[in-house]
Structures are given as structure tokens and as C-alpha cells.
Amino acid sequence: MSDQSSAGGRGNPDTPSEKPQHFIQQIIRKDLESGQTAKVVTRFPPEPNGYLHIGHAKSICLNFGMAAEFGGDCHLRFDDTNPEKESEEYVNAIKADVQWLGFQWAGDVRYTSDYFEQLHKWALHLIREGKAYVCDLSPDEAREYRGTLTEPGRDSPYRDRSVEENLTLFEKMRLGEFDEGSCALRAKIDMAAPNINLRDPIIYRIKKAHHHHTGDIWSIYPSYDFAHGQSDALEGVTHSICTLEFEDHRPLYNWFIENLPVPTAPRQYEFARLNINYTVTSKRKLRQLVDEEHVDGWDDPRMPTISGMRRRGYPPEALRNFCTAIGVTRSDSVVDVGMLEYAVRDHLDKNAPRAMCVLDPLKVTLTNYEADRTEEMRAPGHPNRDDFNERVLPFTQTLFIEREDFREEANKKYKRLVLGKRVRLRNAYVIEADEAIKNEQGEVIEVRARVIEGTLGNDPADGVKPKGVIHWVSATHHLSCEVRQYDRLFNDPSPDSGGKDFLQAINPESLRVLNNCKAEISLANARVGDHFQFERSGYFCLDSRYSTLEKPVFNRTIELRDTWAKIQNQ
Ligand code: ATP
Ligand code: MG
């Protein structure tokens, strides 16, 4: 393919500067102009507890996109503070997904766990300053003391422990001398604060878990709130961009930055997360689909994961274009999945070479064509791109056409092959059907037809023009293959809203396997990662898992037209 442009470089062509600027662009531009920021540093901070999904693609495009646009750096940082749920498998999958999307992080991959020593020192600093204490309330008691949105909380009975006692107890926590849940280190802020996040939040918890990156050296782990901003500060992140649910955590983010001797002062900005209809974008629910085998792994081509979309044949450019098209705002909304599908179709239409593939073959014998003859028909690789190679289509006495492209009788609306009528074979001759051969069940198993001479590139000399054009392949020179037709995984526009069981909304027809398909022989050269338009049926790619040389498997990336829109408009 000739369209492997990268969006990671400076001066991203996807976001020309004449476009209206979204609020994050405006903030960064202002900070650069005022000198508040010398060089923009952003970060994409996934927790390695699952595979990335389309929502993460939005965050990736935003964080890497801002760094690229303003000549800065974007870091990839694994937010790995919950060892029980995290693993190296997810770390590797996330790295591969970010790079496939077309982005490259600055410097090495970073891990929050690389900062555990420093974070621990800062926790000691807070204790010495009288701003943190070890609290022995059980999780249930702590909840009870926390109060509610309308009622203030109450001070923990352990809040006034001395610095020395806190230092000793925290050290014992670190050495693994206490059980999980028996105590925690909390920041001493304000139990009456209207913002619950400021009511003495937990900084460190006891967890006697093996960590995929640090092994068994820690038996205490920092909370997300304590780790995140300080990691940003250590890396010199200038604009820490996150989703709106962290807006209420911003005062706490700032409290830590103000109360610790951090080297830099990052600022947090929130944007609306991507919600998309007919789709679930929660790692927990996606994991459930995988664990309960409703799908064939995280990269099942029906999954909204980046790896699933890649396997399905969605091009990275289409995902980036989609992320640009939906924009960045501070108000929550639901994006129509049709916009994503449009971006995929639009890119593939311009960039996918054409091919013919018969999905449900019906044999056609051309009675006036010699059995030992083969002509080489020529067809363009793409109707309006001359940088694509021409295809060679062997034309022989026996061919396959689509079963649905033949009828013994039909009304005028049917513009395909009918007994006694003519049709043009795409890039080849006009033929006329004479006879339908049937099996004992009365099913048509072969059509006998005639080539109308002189119709290569010309209308028939007798003036009887065919009404339609159908696709075909040679029955003697073709590639036998399997085709997997995918459709939306859910047939409910909001599968998980209002406490609904999203499993009930699974579309039972989201996968259809056709295992006797006949593709034009040029597809024998197809490689994983190539995209094709199978004329009249859709866009396809080789399946990276199941395809073999003996039995190629093509995934239908998407149909040529949006059939869902038609259903909705009926
Ligand atoms: P999930 O809710 O699926 O578990 P998460 O937010 O817990 O996702 P993280 O690995 O913490 O997953 O996310 C990494 C980054 O991606 C965060 O900055 C997060 O805000 C962002 N992100 C996650 N989901 C979305 C979404 N739907 N739209 C935009 N950004 C998202
Ligand atoms: Mg998260």
C-alpha cells in the first residue's frame, strides 16, 4: 500500500492550522505565547489491565497530536499501581497499538512503578510535615467516617498520631508487617471539605501482590491520585490531559503538587470521554466478553479494541481521521458509530485496490468458448489511481458468478443474468444465458451461456445491450478462500445504558463464515495488512490469525454502504 503516512511526525498533516482550534489547542497556544510553557510535554497514561479501545484512541490522538502539533514530546507511561490486575501481556499489546496508530513516544517507555522510591520519599515528607497519617479504620469504617455529598465527614480517631508514630507505622506497612486492609496512609487535608476527594484521601495501601514490573519488593502501593500528578511532575509534563470524571480530583492533584517539593508544576485539563453508540467502551465489560467467550479474544474483529479494529482491517489513518472529526470538548455526548464507519469507508475507497471475489459461487459454462483457451483480461487496480498495478484476470470456459446474480426468470428491476438475457461480466465479455442445469433437489448447479463475440470494451453489434454488470472469476484459475462477514457486535444503540445487561444486546448475526469463496488469482499475493475492495461486496483484508497459505481467510472490514442507516430510516 502506498498510504503509510505517519501522523507522529512534526507538522501533522491531519490537523492543518486553519481549522478552528479546540479548547486544549487554545490553552497550549496561549501558554506557549505567554512563556508559561517553554516546551509542551504530554503523556498517555494507560493502566496495563486490558487492551486499548476506541476511547483510548481519542486520548492517544489528543496527547500525541498536541505534542506533534506544538513541537513537544508525548510520553507513554504505564500507570501500574494495581499489580493484581496488570500484566506484561497488556503492556506489550498497548505499545503495539500506539505504534500501529502511527505514534511514537518520546524516550523510553515509562512506568509509574519506576517512581515508587521517589513517591515513597514524598509520602515520608508529608508525614514529617504533619500532612499524612497512618489510619487504622477498616474500609467500612472509613466509608462511614467519610460522610456524604450533603454531610461533612468526621475526623478519624487516628488523625492526630505523632509524626514519630506515623513514621514507625508506615515503615512497618512497608516491611509487610500488617495485613492488607488493616491500615492505610492518608493525607491530612479536611474531613469537612465539600469535595469528598479532599477528605483525607488514601495515599498508600497495603497490597501483598507480585508486581509485573517491580517483582516482590513492595508490599504497599500508592493510590492513583497520589501517583499520577507526581509522576507528571517528575517527567516535566506540562499539560496533563484526562477525562472529565477526574475534574473533581483536580483540587487534590493540585494539593499534592503544592505540598510536595516536586521539580515542576504540571496542570490537569479534562475533556469529554468518547462514547459511541452500538459499542461498549469499558475495559471491564470488554474483558467479560473475552473471558466468557462471547468473542474470540481481545482482538476479535468485532471488538472496539484497537487490536480488534486492526484485525478487522480498519486503517490507522481512518481512526485518526475519525478522532479529528469528533473533536475535543468538555460536554459529554454519544457519537454515532456511523461516523467511525464512514471514516473507514472513506479511507478505503480512496486507497484500497479493487478485486473480484465470488462469495457464493455458481458455475457458468460458456458453450461457445474453447475448453483449452485462456485470455488475459486487464483491469485497473483502482478506478481513479494510476499508481496502482493493473490486474490480470484469466478468462476461461468455466467461470463462477455469484449465485444471487442469476435467475431463471425475473422482472425488469433485476439487472443481472436471466435465462435468455444478457449481462456484462466486469472487465470482460457480455454473455447470454441459455440453460439452467439443476440437481435432484431442483437447485440450479450450473448455467450454460454463450459469449457474445466482439463485446470486449464494446456493446454487442446486434444492438441488444446488457442491463447490468456482474463480477466473476475463472473456475480454473482462482484462489479458494474463506470469508468472514462481520457486523456490529450489538444491535442495541445503547447496549449498556441504564443498568441494562449488555450481553442481551449481542447481535447473533455479527459473524457469518462463508467457506467456499472464489477470489481472483491476483489475491494470492495478498499480505496481512493489505486492504481490498471486493467489487460490489465491501472492503476486506486477510485475517492475521486464521489465514494460511493453503486457506486464506478474508475479513470483511465493512460493507460498501451503510445498511444500518437504511434500516433506521425505514
Ligand atoms: P476504562 O474505563 O475502559 O477502564 P480507563 O480510563 O480506566 O478505561 P486507562 O487505561 O486508565 O483506562 O486510560 C488511559 C487514558 O485513556 C486515560 O487518560 C483515560 O482518561 C483515557 N480514556 C479511557 N477511556 C476513554 C474514552 N472513552 N474516551 C477518551 N479517553 C479515554
Ligand atoms: Mg483509568
Side-chain angles (χ1 to χ4, degrees):
M1 296 287 310
S2 57
D3 59 321
Q4 297 298 312
S5 64
S6 161
R10 303 280 140 82
N12 182 352
D14 287 349
T15 45
S17 53
E18 311 85 63
K19 275 199 175 163
Q21 305 265 298
H22 59 64
F23 78 99
I24 304 264
Q25 281 168 312
Q26 290 173 15
I27 289 168
I28 295 179
R29 187 171 295 279
K30 217 174 96 222
D31 289 348
L32 286 169
E33 278 166 11
S34 73
Q36 153 104 11
T37 303
K39 177 180 172 185
V40 176
V41 182
T42 56
R43 86 287 168 265
F44 173 62
E47 181 177 357
N49 63 349
Y51 282 60
L52 299 181
H53 54 62
I54 182 73
H56 295 111
K58 178 176 179 181
S59 176
I60 293 170
C61 288
L62 177 58
N63 280 295
F64 284 91
M66 289 305 91
E69 186 176 336
F70 293 102
D73 285 338
C74 181
H75 300 174
L76 173 63
R77 182 202 312 145
F78 287 100
D79 212 334
D80 55 348
T81 55
N82 278 312
E84 298 101 325
K85 295 189 200 153
E86 298 164 0
S87 82
E88 203 61 29
E89 175 198 348
Y90 299 135
V91 166
N92 292 329
I94 289 169
K95 289 197 276 192
D97 286 349
V98 170
Q99 289 179 317
W100 176 79
L101 264 182
F103 298 105
Q104 185 58 49
W105 47 90
D108 292 338
V109 170
R110 295 145 210 262
Y111 296 85
T112 300
S113 56
D114 289 340
Y115 312 134
F116 281 174
E117 277 299 334
Q118 180 61 66
L119 291 169
H120 179 252
K121 285 192 185 125
W122 279 336
L124 294 174
H125 176 91
L126 287 180
I127 294 175
R128 285 195 202 99
E129 298 274 303
K131 291 175 183 165
Y133 61 97
V134 174
C135 177
D136 298 351
L137 290 178
S138 69
D140 282 341
E141 288 165 336
R143 199 166 308 120
E144 154 101 33
Y145 272 77
R146 194 177 304 129
T148 64
L149 282 175
T150 48
E151 278 170 51
R154 282 177 293 137
D155 285 357
S156 159
Y158 307 99
R159 202 172 196 262
D160 294 320
R161 279 176 161 160
S162 68
V163 169
E164 285 65 35
E165 190 182 2
N166 280 319
L167 287 172
T168 310
L169 290 171
F170 187 50
E171 177 63 3
K172 287 188 172 179
M173 278 174 67
R174 189 180 72 81
L175 293 173
E177 291 182 19
F178 299 132
D179 291 337
E180 285 188 21
S182 62
C183 55
L185 185 70
R186 297 175 68 177
K188 196 193 263 191
I189 306 181
D190 180 4
M191 286 308 292
N195 183 336
I196 294 186
N197 292 303
L198 295 176
R199 294 183 190 167
D200 293 8
I202 289 182
I203 305 180
Y204 266 93
R205 279 187 186 83
I206 300 171
K207 275 186 206 166
K208 299 190 174 166
H210 179 80
H211 189 286
H212 62 101
H213 203 58
T214 56
D216 297 307
I217 57 175
W218 292 98
S219 42
I220 49 171
Y221 288 93
S223 63
Y224 171 89
D225 283 318
F226 187 61
H228 202 91
Q230 279 56 260
S231 303
D232 286 341
L234 283 167
E235 293 180 10
V237 166
T238 53
H239 296 76
S240 179
I241 306 170
C242 62
T243 40
L244 276 177
E245 64 270 25
F246 290 100
E247 186 173 12
D248 288 347
H249 294 241
R250 186 169 4 118
L252 180 56
Y253 184 103
N254 292 340
W255 188 89
F256 286 127
I257 297 294
E258 282 154 22
N259 285 278
L260 287 168
V262 287
T264 65
R267 310 260 313 244
Q268 174 183 303
Y269 299 92
E270 308 88 21
F271 71 102
R273 62 191 292 117
L274 171 63
N275 301 305
I276 186 159
N277 63 9
Y278 293 97
T279 309
V280 302
T281 50
S282 136
K283 272 189 249 173
R284 184 179 62 74
K285 289 174 188 161
L286 296 178
R287 187 179 303 109
Q288 195 180 342
L289 289 169
V290 174
D291 289 348
E292 296 178 7
E293 299 184 2
H294 301 287
V295 295
D296 173 26
W298 285 96
D299 68 346
D300 183 299
R302 294 165 294 177
M303 289 282 270
T305 50
I306 294 181
S307 50
M309 294 188 286
R310 170 168 66 231
R311 198 172 142 200
R312 170 117 170 214
Y314 282 20
E317 298 86 347
L319 295 183
R320 298 200 303 261
N321 292 342
F322 167 72
C323 289
T324 305
I326 55 176
V328 180
T329 67
R330 279 183 56 85
S331 49
D332 274 315
S333 63
V334 179
V335 171
D336 186 354
V337 72
M339 268 182 85
L340 173 61
E341 294 168 347
Y342 168 82
V344 173
R345 260 188 212 105
D346 182 55
H347 183 84
L348 291 176
D349 178 37
K350 293 177 185 140
N351 296 286
R354 276 32 176 181
M356 295 198 283
C357 179
V358 174
L359 302 178
D360 184 12
L362 173 63
K363 184 171 157 188
V364 174
T365 304
L366 300 169
T367 53
N368 62 345
Y369 200 86
E370 296 83 349
D372 57 357
R373 187 173 171 201
T374 304
E375 274 178 277
E376 291 194 337
M377 302 299 172
R378 307 257 153 189
H382 190 283
N384 34 31
R385 284 186 60 169
D386 47 20
D387 54 329
F388 281 49
N389 288 338
E390 210 177 43
R391 297 135 62 200
V392 176
L393 308 167
F395 187 87
T396 51
Q397 186 187 49
T398 53
L399 308 172
F400 290 122
I401 63 168
E402 219 54 84
R403 186 167 296 279
E404 61 172 28
D405 284 343
F406 172 75
R407 284 192 198 163
E408 291 178 79
E409 307 167 43
N411 64 21
K412 284 191 179 145
K413 279 198 209 146
Y414 187 77
K415 295 195 166 55
R416 310 182 212 172
L417 188 60
V418 180
L419 277 188
K421 299 273 167 55
R422 293 178 178 182
V423 79
R424 176 170 294 279
L425 297 176
R426 194 163 172 79
N427 305 303
Y429 293 104
V430 173
I431 62 167
E432 183 170 321
D434 295 320
E435 189 188 352
I437 315 266
K438 297 182 183 172
N439 64 12
E440 283 166 8
Q441 288 80 46
E443 295 158 352
V444 176
I445 51 167
E446 181 183 345
V447 175
R448 293 183 161 256
R450 261 173 305 120
V451 167
I452 308 299
E453 294 297 338
T455 52
L456 274 189
N458 299 310
D459 282 336
D462 61 10
V464 185
K465 288 192 197 171
K467 279 202 235 123
V469 183
I470 61 172
H471 60 274
W472 58 277
V473 295
S474 161
T476 39
H477 305 283
H478 64 261
L479 181 72
S480 289
C481 59
E482 178 177 304
V483 163
R484 297 179 164 225
Q485 293 182 320
Y486 298 102
D487 202 346
R488 293 181 185 168
L489 183 54
F490 297 103
N491 49 24
D492 183 326
S494 44
D496 55 353
S497 69
K500 259 187 278 182
D501 176 6
F502 70 106
L503 298 176
Q504 298 298 317
I506 292 182
N507 175 5
E509 279 150 36
S510 59
L511 169 61
R512 216 175 129 216
V513 179
L514 307 173
N515 46 32
N516 182 32
C517 306
K518 311 286 184 186
E520 74 175 55
I521 196 72
S522 72
L523 287 176
N525 300 321
R527 304 236 296 258
V528 169
D530 292 346
H531 304 280
F532 302 94
Q533 183 192 96
F534 289 177
E535 288 171 315
R536 300 178 65 222
S537 60
Y539 296 97
F540 292 80
C541 69
L542 272 187
D543 185 74
S544 55
R545 175 155 338 150
Y546 293 120
S547 202
T548 61
L549 269 184
E550 296 72 45
K551 184 82 180 184
V553 176
F554 286 95
N555 290 328
R556 183 174 73 192
T557 306
I558 198 151
E559 289 176 275
L560 288 181
R561 276 168 288 279
D562 183 354
T563 49
W564 287 80
K566 208 166 60 199
I567 296 168
Q568 280 160 358
N569 295 335
Q570 261 171 11

